[in-house]
Structure formats: structure tokens, C-alpha cells
Amino acid sequence: MEKVGINDMKVVILAGGYGTRISEESHLRPKPMIEIGGYPILWHIMKLYSYYGFNEFIICCGYKGYMIKEYFADYYLHRSDVTFDFTNKNEMIVHNNLAEPWRVTLIDTGLDTMTGGRLKRVRKYIGNESFMLTYGDGVCDVNIKELVKFHESKGGVATLTAIQPGGRFGVIDIDNTNSIKTFAEKSKEDGGWINGGYMVVEPEIFEYLEGDNTFLEREPLERLARENKLSAYKHDGFWQCMDTQRDKEMLEKLWKENKAKWKVWN
């Protein structure tokens, strides 16, 4: 395994799902491109990482992935003030650039590939080094650098951010050393700790991924938990996924009222 500096770590974002539970929007565009405050939720997630100095992203595309590619193809232009001079030179003059210093790799990981399969497909872009991993539909105010430090202190294969939203999610059993003893995706709802994404992962994870039909949240994470190689970084701050239209409207309201706690950047 290659050790990299903390800010050299790549960020992998799973952005290929259908988003069927928010079909009011996702029939038109991929879920990560649904906007909050005029910006795709994918942008909000990337801004959080960028605030902490992480600027290299690998985005696992799938459903309507071309829309994500088109967004970033035009991103520099959309984030700049420009003059188009058609008189003689037929040139474009950029006056100021407000675009972030991002390096974004967008990979088509298949239309029906599961989360573990998508991750396996981008292995060659990650290399043999530690990396970060999250979903393209959840925002939070977790301190990413503290998360990475915690992961390094545990010495396991993966650390996930554990949150307590209550209801409709699977739960994880955390012992007093913050190791995860059992991981059960979508089990009986009891308001316990759940996987909020925002993970730090070692390249050994690829040994647990079989193929396109592998759900990361099932056998890979369940097996890591059994082997005592999965840790939980408990986050008591803000976290919210955009699973439904109601979630989207709530996030939009927070943004408009300047109460978006995930907006840690200026």
C-alpha cells in the first residue's frame, strides 16, 4: 500500500444510481445533479471536501451520467466572467475565474452496477493508496481531516461516518472502542447508529469486492465488521441525505434561509 499525504487522497463519489425514491426529479436527471440553491448536490459534497483541501475526485457515473460529464465540461465557463469578441479575433476572454482547483475524473461504471461493483471498476484510477468514499446524495458538516486522522489511528481497512438520524435506515453495532461489531444494512429501524457515508478506505477493500453485482453495504462491510476491520467515526453534527422530494425541499429551505449547516465554506 502506498502512503500519501492527507491532502493527496482521492475522493471517490458514487453517483450512478437511479434515485427512484425521488422520481419527481430523477426521471429528468441523475440524483446527484438535483439542485439545492441552484447547485447540484454533488457540487455541495465536493465543496465540503475542497474546504478541507481535498480536490481530486473520481465520480462513478451510471444513470444519465452524460449529464454529469456535460456539467463539468462547461463548469469553468459557467464559473467565470467572460467576453466573447466576434468582431475580428473571434476569441473568448476570461476576466476572472471563480472555479475551484478541482481535478475531476468521470467514469462510466455501468447502468445497473451495484455500489461495490462501481468501486471495483474505478480501481485503476485510485491506485494502491488510501482514499475517501461517499455517496452522491448526502450532505453534512463532518470535519474531514479529523475523520482521516481517526481512521489512521484505528489501523483498519475502512472507517465510516456513523450518524443517528432515526428511522428508515439500517443500523450498526459499535463497541466502546468505536469498532463496528455488526453491520446490517436496512435492518429493523430502531433509531441506532447508521452508515452516513463519508468513508476512509484502504486499498485492501478491493479484496472484498467480487464484481458488478456486489453491494458494498452487504457482504464487504459485513465481513469487515466480522473481522474487526471496520470502524465508526461518530458524528453528532448535521447530516442529511436527499432521498425523497421532501428531503430536497427541506434542504432547499435551509439553504435559502442561510441555515445550511453543511456550508462550511465562505
Side-chain angles (χ1 to χ4, degrees), residues 83-93:
T83 294
F84 295 98
D85 186 352
F86 303 121
T87 56
N88 295 308
K89 299 180 181 179
N90 193 25
E91 64 179 356
M92 180 182 74
I93 303 168

Side-chain angles (χ1 to χ4, degrees), residues 172-175 177 179-183 222 225-226 228 230:
I172 53 183
D173 180 23
I174 306 172
D175 68 13
T177 67
S179 290
I180 295 176
K181 307 309 295 180
T182 61
F183 183 99
E222 290 171 0
R226 291 194 302 268
N228 200 31
L230 181 63

Side-chain angles (χ1 to χ4, degrees), residues 2-240:
E2 179 184 350
K3 285 294 183 182
V4 296
I6 184 171
N7 287 118
D8 294 323
M9 293 176 68
K10 299 179 179 71
V11 181
V12 179
I13 303 178
L14 297 167
Y18 286 98
T20 53
R21 283 181 286 186
I22 191 170
S23 58
E24 300 94 333
E25 299 261 1
S26 62
H27 75 286
L28 297 173
R29 50 189 162 178
K31 189 177 179 183
M33 295 305 294
I34 297 173
E35 294 182 352
I36 303 297
Y39 297 97
I41 193 168
L42 177 63
W43 177 88
H44 290 264
I45 294 166
M46 295 170 70
K47 286 288 286 186
L48 176 72
Y49 280 104
S50 188
Y51 173 78
Y52 287 103
F54 302 95
N55 291 301
E56 183 164 358
F57 300 91
I58 299 169
I59 300 178
C60 302
C61 301
Y63 173 68
K64 295 185 181 294
Y66 68 91
M67 298 184 72
I68 303 177
K69 293 177 182 178
E70 289 173 353
Y71 177 79
F72 285 104
D74 295 331
Y75 188 72
Y76 179 84
L77 180 62
H78 290 170
R79 295 286 287 168
S80 304
D81 291 335
V82 297
T83 294
F84 295 98
D85 186 352
F86 303 121
T87 56
N88 295 308
K89 299 180 181 179
N90 193 25
E91 64 179 356
M92 180 182 74
I93 303 168
V94 178
H95 299 292
N96 65 323
N97 171 32
L98 300 176
E100 290 77 3
W102 292 345
R103 178 181 174 90
V104 186
T105 301
L106 300 120
I107 306 300
D108 181 1
T109 56
L111 192 60
D112 297 307
T113 311
M114 299 299 103
T115 49
R118 294 190 191 282
L119 179 56
K120 186 178 179 67
R121 284 201 185 196
V122 300
R123 179 176 186 174
K124 68 178 181 180
Y125 300 99
I126 298 171
N128 190 35
E129 60 190 48
S130 307
F131 63 97
M132 286 177 282
L133 173 67
T134 196
Y135 305 101
D137 62 356
V139 289
C140 69
D141 61 357
V142 65
N143 186 313
I144 302 296
K145 285 194 173 181
E146 291 301 318
L147 167 63
V148 174
K149 289 178 182 177
F150 175 85
H151 169 76
E152 292 175 342
S153 73
K154 299 299 292 183
V157 173
T159 297
L160 57 81
T161 298
I163 51 99
Q164 289 182 301
R168 96 167 188 261
F169 296 96
V171 298
I172 53 183
D173 180 23
I174 306 172
D175 68 13
N176 57 10
T177 67
N178 287 328
S179 290
I180 295 176
K181 307 309 295 180
T182 61
F183 183 99
E185 182 70 5
K186 304 299 182 185
S187 64
K188 183 178 180 181
E189 299 166 5
D190 64 0
W193 292 95
I194 70 112
N195 175 15
Y198 292 87
M199 296 170 266
V200 187
V201 189
E202 299 302 322
E204 287 85 352
I205 190 67
F206 294 107
E207 299 172 10
Y208 296 75
L209 306 177
E210 296 295 331
D212 283 358
N213 293 325
T214 302
F215 286 87
L216 176 68
E217 302 78 11
R218 293 184 183 171
E219 176 58 25
L221 292 189
E222 290 171 0
R223 183 178 159 197
L224 285 175
R226 291 194 302 268
E227 296 176 1
N228 200 31
K229 296 178 181 178
L230 181 63
S231 299
Y233 179 78
K234 293 180 178 179
H235 177 60
D236 295 320
F238 179 86
W239 179 92
Q240 179 62 50

Side-chain angles (χ1 to χ4, degrees), residues 243-258:
D243 230 11
T244 65
Q245 185 67 20
R246 181 180 179 183
D247 294 334
K248 192 261 187 197
E249 292 169 357
M250 184 267 286
L251 291 170
E252 186 74 39
K253 184 174 185 290
L254 290 174
W255 183 268
K256 287 182 178 179
E257 295 177 353
N258 294 316

